[in-house]
């Protein structure tokens, strides 16, 4: 019997209770020197406010654990840091990156900070929110306060994080260059040389075509064979110039029929040749004077 999921058990699933451990904060200046380094234990806040200027970099590293299940970690559905302006209550939200092992990390680079944080100097409350759908008790950890000092207001709007990017001009691989024309014609001559030699040899020895009269369908089959050879060579040329492999195979399948017919004609020719060769000794025996 298959094991069906019990909806009642799903509804009564145990809640996940998160805990925050090993909270570390660091503020690094534009010169790469770490000005602030703090270690906190939840729920203790910072003893003094953080001081941030336009070129600073704030990093927060922490560990998230499930109090009821230390072996299996469940990813929280909500993990972010809010910076709330103490005067206007305007908020900036920064997403916390959480790994599968519970390690979490957040980085705030003031050079690319949200616009609302760099418009004017102000004090902000830092709240860390951790929650999930299966828990009715999310964590809200007030880390402390931060004073962001803006030395000069931005004259230009900050770069758009989400918007159209510059057009990318793709550079495809250049097509391969064909061989020089003289080399192409040289190979054409090489391919045609056997045909020229064959025709010349036939003319020199005066080919005997009398077998075509005696062989059944000899003329048609032989001509079909020769036509098939020429057609296949022409097909290969067209494959090199413009046909694809599927079109070539289709044409080649049709030409195979003519080639089979031509082979049959040459089979008839060989049979007639053997008959003639067997008849010649018999004629010599009957006419010994002609044989001599």
């Amino acid at each position: 019997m298959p094991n069906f999921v019990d909806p009642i058990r799903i509804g009564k699933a145990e809640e996940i209770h998160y805990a925050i451990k090993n909270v570390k904060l660091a503020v690094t200046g534009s010169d790469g020197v770490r000005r602030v380094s703090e270690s906190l234990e939840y729920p203790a806040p910072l003893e003094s406010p953080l001081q941030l200027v336009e070129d600073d970099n704030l990093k927060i590293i922490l560990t998230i654990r499930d109090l009821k299940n230390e072996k299996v970690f469940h990813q929280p559905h909500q993990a972010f840091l809010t910076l709330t302006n103490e005067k206007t209550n305007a908020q900036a939200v920064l997403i916390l990156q959480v790994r599968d092992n519970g390690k979490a990390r957040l980085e705030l680079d003031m050079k690319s900070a949200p616009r609302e944080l760099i418009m004017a100097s102000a004090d902000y409350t830092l709240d860390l929110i951790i929650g999930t759908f299966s828990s009715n008790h999310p964590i809200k950890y007030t880390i402390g306060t931060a004073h962001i000092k803006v030395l000069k207001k931005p004259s230009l709007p900050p770069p758009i994080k989400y918007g159209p990017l510059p057009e990318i001009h793709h550079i495809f691989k250049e097509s391969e260059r064909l061989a020089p024309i003289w080399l192409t014609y040289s190979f054409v001559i090489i391919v045609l040389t056997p045909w020229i030699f064959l025709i010349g040899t036939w003319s020199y020895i005066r080919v005997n075509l009398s077998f075509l009269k005696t062989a059944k369908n000899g003329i048609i089959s032989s001509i079909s064979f020769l036509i098939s050879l020429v057609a296949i060579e022409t097909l290969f040329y067209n494959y090199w110039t413009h046909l694809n492999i599927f079109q070539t195979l289709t044409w080649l399948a049709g030409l195979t029929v003519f080639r089979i017919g031509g082979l049959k004609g040459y089979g008839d020719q060989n049979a007639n040749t053997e008959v003639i060769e067997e008849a010649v000794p018999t004629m010599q025996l009957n006419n010994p004077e002609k044989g001599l």
Side-chain angles (χ1 to χ4, degrees):
M1 294 292 291
N3 295 326
F4 294 99
V5 179
D6 187 357
I8 299 178
R9 294 181 61 185
I10 295 178
K12 295 182 180 180
E14 294 183 359
E15 291 188 1
I16 299 175
H17 295 272
Y18 288 117
I20 299 176
K21 299 180 180 180
N22 304 326
V23 181
K24 296 181 181 180
L25 291 87
V27 177
T28 306
S30 58
D31 53 0
V33 178
R34 181 173 294 181
R35 297 191 292 102
V36 178
S37 180
E38 296 283 349
S39 296
L40 301 176
E41 289 296 334
Y42 174 79
L46 290 170
E47 296 182 355
S48 59
L50 295 174
Q51 302 294 327
L52 300 175
V53 294
E54 294 175 347
D55 296 331
D56 285 344
N57 186 282
L58 172 63
K59 292 183 180 179
I60 301 177
I61 300 175
L62 54 96
T63 303
I64 303 174
R65 288 286 182 264
D66 185 358
L67 295 177
K68 291 188 177 182
N69 192 344
E70 292 288 343
K71 296 182 180 180
V72 180
F73 176 72
H74 299 276
Q75 279 276 359
H77 297 97
Q78 294 180 338
F80 54 88
L81 177 73
T82 60
L83 289 84
T84 306
N85 191 311
E86 295 183 352
K87 291 183 178 180
T88 63
N89 289 329
Q91 283 188 341
V93 179
L94 304 177
I95 303 300
L96 195 68
Q97 302 295 332
V98 183
R99 297 182 179 178
D100 294 336
N101 58 2
K103 301 291 184 180
R105 178 187 179 92
L106 181 144
E107 184 173 352
L108 172 61
D109 189 354
M110 295 304 297
K111 294 179 181 179
S112 58
R115 185 175 178 83
E116 54 268 19
L117 297 180
I118 57 177
M119 290 301 298
S121 301
D123 294 327
Y124 294 86
T125 302
L126 280 63
D127 293 318
L128 187 63
I129 310 297
I130 307 293
T132 186
F133 295 148
S134 60
S135 176
N136 296 324
H137 305 284
I139 295 177
K140 183 179 181 181
Y141 176 24
T142 301
I143 297 177
T145 59
H147 178 74
I148 299 178
K149 184 177 182 180
V150 179
L151 301 178
K152 57 180 180 180
K153 293 184 179 181
S155 56
L156 297 175
I160 300 175
K161 292 185 179 181
Y162 306 99
L165 297 177
E167 182 180 358
I168 299 176
H169 297 279
H170 296 280
I171 300 176
F172 297 98
K173 182 180 178 180
E174 295 183 359
S175 58
E176 297 182 359
R177 295 182 179 179
L178 297 178
I181 191 66
W182 63 268
L183 183 62
T184 303
Y185 283 121
S186 298
F187 276 93
V188 170
I189 294 173
I190 293 173
V191 172
L192 295 179
T193 299
W195 290 89
I196 298 174
F197 177 77
L198 178 62
I199 296 173
T201 304
W202 282 353
S203 301
Y204 178 77
I205 65 176
R206 296 181 180 180
V207 179
N208 184 9
L209 302 178
S210 61
F211 71 92
L212 296 176
K213 299 179 181 179
T214 59
K216 185 179 180 180
N217 298 327
I219 298 177
I220 298 176
S221 58
S222 299
I223 293 177
S224 299
F225 179 75
L226 294 177
I227 292 176
S228 66
L229 290 179
V230 176
I232 290 175
E233 295 292 340
T234 306
L235 178 63
F236 289 158
Y237 170 77
N238 287 289
Y239 172 65
W240 172 256
T241 55
H242 62 277
L243 290 180
N244 57 42
I245 186 63
F246 300 105
Q247 295 173 331
T248 304
L249 292 176
T250 303
W251 282 99
L252 187 60
L255 294 175
T256 304
V257 177
F258 293 97
R259 188 176 181 83
I260 293 174
L263 291 175
K264 183 179 180 301
Y266 277 98
D268 296 339
Q269 174 189 353
N270 293 332
N272 293 332
T273 303
E274 293 176 358
V275 171
I276 295 173
E277 291 177 353
E278 292 176 356
V280 169
T282 304
M283 293 175 61
Q284 292 178 352
L285 291 174
N286 295 332
N287 301 287
E289 296 180 357
K290 294 183 179 181
L292 297 174

